[in-house]
Amino acid sequence: MSLASVIQVYPAADYQVYIYFADGSVRKYDAAPLVEQGVFTVLKNPEVFRLTCTVLNGTLAWDLSGRRDPYDCLDLDAENLFNTCPKVKDPLEPAA
């Protein structure tokens, strides 16, 4: 398994996604610019964005068909996400 392999995603408000990688890091992706482009404009609907956000193909993806088909989804390159998204604290961890 590559360190850039995504194991969990957590969609948040304003098109933000917390991405959990196999190396244990959590990174934050701002998808706001993405939802303005081409095939990704369907994700401008916040409910669609949140409810279809998942992990497919070892990366952040949106399963628009609901069939968990790795060939029928919108996905982003895990290596690029790993290298460009800032590391952040896990939003699901309780505050100390």
Side-chain angles (χ1 to χ4, degrees), residues 5-50:
S5 182
V6 175
I7 57 173
Q8 180 181 342
V9 294
Y10 175 69
D14 299 324
Y15 305 108
Q16 305 298 302
V17 182
Y18 292 91
I19 307 169
Y20 296 74
F21 285 90
D23 73 341
S25 67
V26 180
R27 296 170 190 267
K28 188 175 180 183
Y29 176 64
D30 179 3
L34 180 73
V35 303
E36 301 293 335
Q37 302 174 29
V39 297
F40 293 97
T41 57
V42 68
L43 300 175
K44 279 186 87 164
N45 177 325
E47 190 169 314
V48 171
F49 181 87
R50 185 176 51 79

Side-chain angles (χ1 to χ4, degrees), residues 78-94:
E79 197 75 32
N80 185 53
L81 292 169
F82 185 82
N83 290 325
T84 61
C85 295
K87 281 187 181 180
V88 294
K89 289 186 71 168
D90 185 344
L92 302 177
E93 276 187 12

